[in-house]
Amino acid sequence: MRHPRRRVAIAAVGALLLPVCLSATAVAAPVTGEDVLYTLDVDFEQGVLQDVNHDSPNDDQLQLNRQSVFFPYVNVAASARGTMIRIDVDTGEIIGEWLSAPDGRGRNPSRTTVDKLGNTWLSNRNEAGGGQGSVTRVGVIRGGTRVDSGGTPDPAGDYLQGPFAYNTCQDRDGDGLFATSRGLGDIRPWVNTGGVDDDGGVETAADECLITYSRVAGTNTRTVAVDANNDLWTGGSNTQHQKISGVDGSPLSTPVSFGCGGYGGLVDQAGTLWSARYGANLLRYEPGAGTGACLNTAHGDYGLGMDPRTGEIWHTSVNGGVVVKLDPAGNILGTFPHGNARSQGVAVDNDGNVWVAHSLDAGTTTVGHLRTDGTYVGNVTLPGGDGPTGVAVDTNGKVWVANINSNNAQRIDPDAGPIGGGGFPVGAVDLTVDLGAGAGPYNYSDMTGSVLGEITAPVGTWSVVQDGGVAGQTWGTVTWNTEPQGSVPPGTSITFEARASDTEAGLAGEAFAPVSNGTEFALVGRYIEVRATLTAAPSGTSPVLSDVRITTSERTGVFSCQATALNLAGVILARANPPDVPCVDDFAQVANVNLPAGILNVQAGALTARTDQTPDDLLALPPAPGDGAVSTARVEHTRITALLVNVEVGVIQANASVTCDASLNPVFAGSSQIASLRINGVNVAVGSAPLTIPLVIGSLRLNSTTTTATSVTQQALVLDTPLTDVVLGEARANVEALPGEPGGSPCRV
């Protein structure tokens, strides 16, 4: 049974944070509290929902969307310029432009793909140095305010300042600001001084949304495909394929080669890697079994797409005027004309439409449109577009095409244009985005994330930021699914991760760490960000997240303390903190006293007692070195008289303390001082050393320290007689375990 926490009422935030997949950018304040329960619709809306919902009739719980909705961007490789350009698919606004590799390394990116966190991976065709290729990952920020280096708002500022609706970029210099591109042409340098990033890393990248640069086995890398675990498969011209970590870009597999593939690629629902090869064979590789096959050019030789409803693979042939449909085992199901003699990229939407880019040839100005049953619908004309190489479906179901010769990207509305074959609209361009001279967008790949979002990874996330109120807050538990509605059916999973920082902006610079249900951990920082990932079974069955509680990690004990100036046979004068447990700041004072007790008479003056705890509100803060309790008792002068004995004492003071050391262990100390002592007119030297003096009426014990594993008691002067005892100057300091925490300590959580 833990010590009761202060409960926090959860109220609706004024501007609730919309899912990051939507075009509207909303910013939610962190939820304030040390112990917060999220269980109702309004509670979950205080976080970020990505591909999860609490829709009726399943209110007050989270489950996966029936269909994933991915991030609202198209990420175009500006191959000739060596950059990647990110476009808002709703507005056509160019969000930013980033270099694809450090200075001195090969660039010429041609493929991009998007992971489940919205980051964009891109490959560099011109890198083969040292027998390796390279891939780069660009993070994503939504929301924030443009500022200058001092944090002053400036629309032309080089930095973004939180709070953010969403952020995966890295605050590498820890200034709380994120240096990143403002838009087209604002390309931040990546100087690679001394070749420090040659072998991987982004240390010298000025743009803090460049988060990973990895050297990989596939030379002149082209293939980039994200799997269900959010890791990346890469492949290159040497047909070497390798998986790298979606966390830090490090190698996760030994390179494999079957002598085929290495161009465009994707990972299907079963986790199979498909990797094309221009003019040669298509690789179909099953990582789980470690088996692969090279499928001949009758299966196609260039662009790859996947039907989100059936999992069937569509593969273009550069020449021959046809696109090939394959089943997941690689068997040919059909070969269909698409309206042109040549083709490159291909994409399949959720409404049964297949879109084929009609190649980079000068003067090519169409995208072919057919149905997944092979019906040819017609060609979409591209006004102002020349050399369509890549196509991809965006989060709204519209189609984007990259035109290498006209240096632009165009958006196609599938429901527009004339009626074509089968009675379906052919489609028409409704937006053109100029990418600037010399862009050369060659991008035939999953540049929107639709393949991953709709097919490869049936996952969704919910994340929330919670404000613990003080710097250095220690967070301790995340507990979920304590209500009967929560469920994790066979084949599904719910996993949680957390990270903490003393600033909200600083969260992005911290790595997520996995946390277990109800198991105490220790993350330190005022703010904690918790992310839940829900994964469906292959059948589509969704887990249900019914409730989440995020709490600080409480101390398992408290300090106790007490100080007493005089105790004469149970008569107490000047006692600080009489309850003793818990310790509190207290002070007591008595000017003068004259007390008889049996054969004794005690006269004393200026009696004081004091107790003090650091910090004052112990349970509101995490343990820290220097936390502790101190007790002090002091008497300025005392005279004790009895038959045949006269004891005169100068200033006495007793001190007791317990302090959390650097290792957060309690350390006890006690000391006392007696300025002067006269017994029957004879001076006795005492000071602070322990001393016992026998008297006719009993014994006099001075400077006594008693220490146990959990306490210290300091007594400056004790007169023991058969009938009456006198204690002058007693100070105590203890640690006490909380109920249900055997061995607990205020220095520990």
Side-chain angles (χ1 to χ4, degrees), residues 84-143:
M84 190 274 284
I85 296 169
R86 179 171 288 151
I87 305 169
D88 185 308
V89 298
D90 296 309
T91 65
E93 175 190 3
I94 293 179
I95 304 299
E97 185 171 6
W98 295 269
L99 288 171
S100 70
D103 289 354
R105 306 311 314 175
R107 292 177 177 145
N108 190 12
S110 64
R111 281 77 162 168
T112 63
T113 194
V114 181
D115 72 15
K116 69 181 182 182
L117 301 179
N119 306 307
T120 306
W121 286 100
L122 52 102
S123 55
N124 291 298
R125 285 189 298 180
N126 283 3
E127 181 59 79
Q132 290 184 305
S134 69
V135 293
T136 298
R137 182 167 49 167
V138 183
V140 59
I141 288 183
R142 288 180 62 77

Side-chain angles (χ1 to χ4, degrees), residues 634-715:
R634 181 182 177 94
V635 182
E636 292 294 328
H637 56 85
T638 309
R639 182 186 178 110
I640 305 172
T641 57
L643 182 66
L644 303 177
V645 174
N646 182 22
V647 179
E648 297 173 273
V649 188
V651 177
I652 67 170
Q653 181 166 310
N655 306 289
S657 67
V658 55
T659 306
C660 301
D661 67 10
S663 299
L664 295 181
N665 295 310
V667 176
F668 299 92
S671 65
S672 56
Q673 301 83 35
I674 299 176
S676 63
L677 174 65
R678 287 165 60 89
I679 302 176
N680 292 337
V682 178
N683 290 325
V684 179
V686 181
S688 59
L691 179 65
T692 300
I693 302 172
L695 300 174
V696 175
I697 59 173
S699 64
L700 191 64
R701 289 186 291 110
L702 309 173
N703 300 323
S704 171
T705 306
T706 303
T707 303
T708 72
T710 60
S711 69
V712 60
T713 300
Q714 185 72 30
Q715 294 174 321

Side-chain angles (χ1 to χ4, degrees), residues 192-206:
N192 197 23
T193 304
V196 67
D197 292 331
D198 280 355
D199 295 326
V202 290
E203 182 178 334
T204 65

Side-chain angles (χ1 to χ4, degrees), residues 30-34 465-470 475 526-528:
V31 180
T32 301
E34 300 170 22
V465 175
Q466 195 165 308
D467 180 358
V470 294
W475 298 93
R526 173 172 175 172
Y527 298 90
I528 187 170

Side-chain angles (χ1 to χ4, degrees), residues 117 140 164-171 178 211 463-466 473 475 478 496-515 521-531 550:
L117 301 179
V140 59
F164 301 108
Y166 188 78
N167 184 11
T168 66
C169 300
Q170 299 171 347
D171 182 15
F178 290 80
I211 58 176
S463 61
V464 71
V465 175
Q466 195 165 308
Q473 181 67 268
W475 298 93
V478 178
F496 272 79
E497 304 164 285
R499 59 186 179 183
S501 173
D502 273 334
T503 64
E504 187 182 355
L507 287 169
E510 302 294 332
F512 277 104
V515 296
F521 57 86
L523 286 176
V524 177
R526 173 172 175 172
Y527 298 90
I528 187 170
E529 183 176 4
V530 173
R531 182 170 69 197
I550 303 170

Side-chain angles (χ1 to χ4, degrees), residues 215-234:
R215 300 300 301 274
V216 296
T219 54
N220 308 106
T221 316
R222 289 168 167 82
T223 302
V224 279
V226 177
D227 68 13
N229 196 47
N230 211 40
D231 297 320
L232 182 76
W233 278 99
T234 65

Side-chain angles (χ1 to χ4, degrees), residues 353-417:
N353 299 300
V354 182
W355 307 90
V356 180
H358 280 160
S359 92
L360 53 72
D361 296 335
T364 301
T365 59
T366 55
V367 167
H369 178 191
L370 60 156
R371 300 287 294 173
T372 53
D373 64 2
T375 300
Y376 172 66
V377 179
N379 282 351
V380 181
T381 302
L382 306 175
D386 188 337
T389 55
V391 282
V393 182
D394 73 18
T395 189
N396 302 314
K398 294 192 175 184
V399 180
W400 284 81
V401 54
N403 299 311
I404 192 169
N405 300 322
S406 52
N407 296 309
N408 57 18
Q410 294 180 302
R411 186 179 69 188
I412 297 170
D413 182 352
D415 297 324

Side-chain angles (χ1 to χ4, degrees), residues 487-580:
S487 66
V488 185
T492 72
S493 66
I494 298 176
T495 59
F496 272 79
E497 304 164 285
R499 59 186 179 183
S501 173
D502 273 334
T503 64
E504 187 182 355
L507 287 169
E510 302 294 332
F512 277 104
V515 296
S516 299
N517 193 354
T519 301
E520 199 157 87
F521 57 86
L523 286 176
V524 177
R526 173 172 175 172
Y527 298 90
I528 187 170
E529 183 176 4
V530 173
R531 182 170 69 197
T533 300
L534 285 68
T535 304
S539 64
T541 302
S542 174
V544 173
L545 181 61
S546 62
D547 59 284
V548 181
R549 183 185 292 276
I550 303 170
T551 66
T552 55
S553 186
E554 289 184 334
R555 301 171 193 253
T556 56
V558 296
F559 296 113
S560 62
C561 60
Q562 192 178 83
T564 306
L566 173 61
N567 183 345
L568 174 58
V571 178
I572 308 298
L573 294 173
R575 171 170 281 179
N577 192 31
D580 190 22

